[in-house]
Amino acid sequence: MPVYQYTCATCGSFEETAPISRFAEPCECPACGALSERNLLSVPQLSTLNSQARAGHMINERASDNPKRASQTGMRPTGPKIKSRARNHADGSKSMPGARPWMLSH
């Protein structure tokens, strides 16, 4: 949110944060509570980040809803491969040797 400067008739100038949609509305003075108009000679102060911090924020925002996958980046999974014990038969059925007989296979 930008920081705007306001000028109170009795207390002088003060700064307040407000959404850009309310830039033209008067603000209450924190000292006396009177409605004060925005100082039109000042521009809103917007915070800026250096390029490394901005890149870090963009990576975090992207990762929150669209994480990278190993296939997209070319990374390969590490660790030993685990072989499946399932046996595929000619008729298309599968069986698991040593598995519980009441378990159904897919």
Side-chain angles (χ1 to χ4, degrees):
M1 253 192 285
V3 178
Y4 294 106
Q5 288 184 348
Y6 294 90
T7 304
C8 178
T10 55
C11 304
S13 63
F14 62 94
E15 293 181 344
E16 196 68 39
T17 59
I20 293 177
S21 61
R22 296 188 339 180
F23 75 97
E25 296 177 12
C27 181
E28 289 185 6
C29 175
C32 66
L35 284 178
S36 305
E37 294 295 323
R38 186 169 69 94
N39 187 357
L40 297 177
L41 300 176
S42 67
V43 295
Q45 179 185 9
L46 301 173
S47 63
T48 58
L49 298 172
N50 62 24
S51 60
Q52 291 175 340
R54 190 176 324 112
H57 284 292
M58 290 188 63
I59 288 170
N60 287 342
E61 287 295 320
R62 182 180 63 233
S64 65
D65 67 341
N66 188 11
K68 289 185 178 180
R69 296 184 182 153
S71 62
Q72 290 178 343
T73 61
M75 297 185 302
R76 300 282 181 237
T78 60
K81 283 195 165 192
I82 300 172
K83 291 187 177 183
S84 174
R85 296 185 308 170
R87 304 228 191 264
N88 296 326
H89 301 287
D91 63 351
S93 64
K94 280 176 30 176
S95 66
M96 296 282 289
R100 297 175 188 100
W102 59 89
M103 292 178 64
L104 299 175
S105 111
H106 301 315

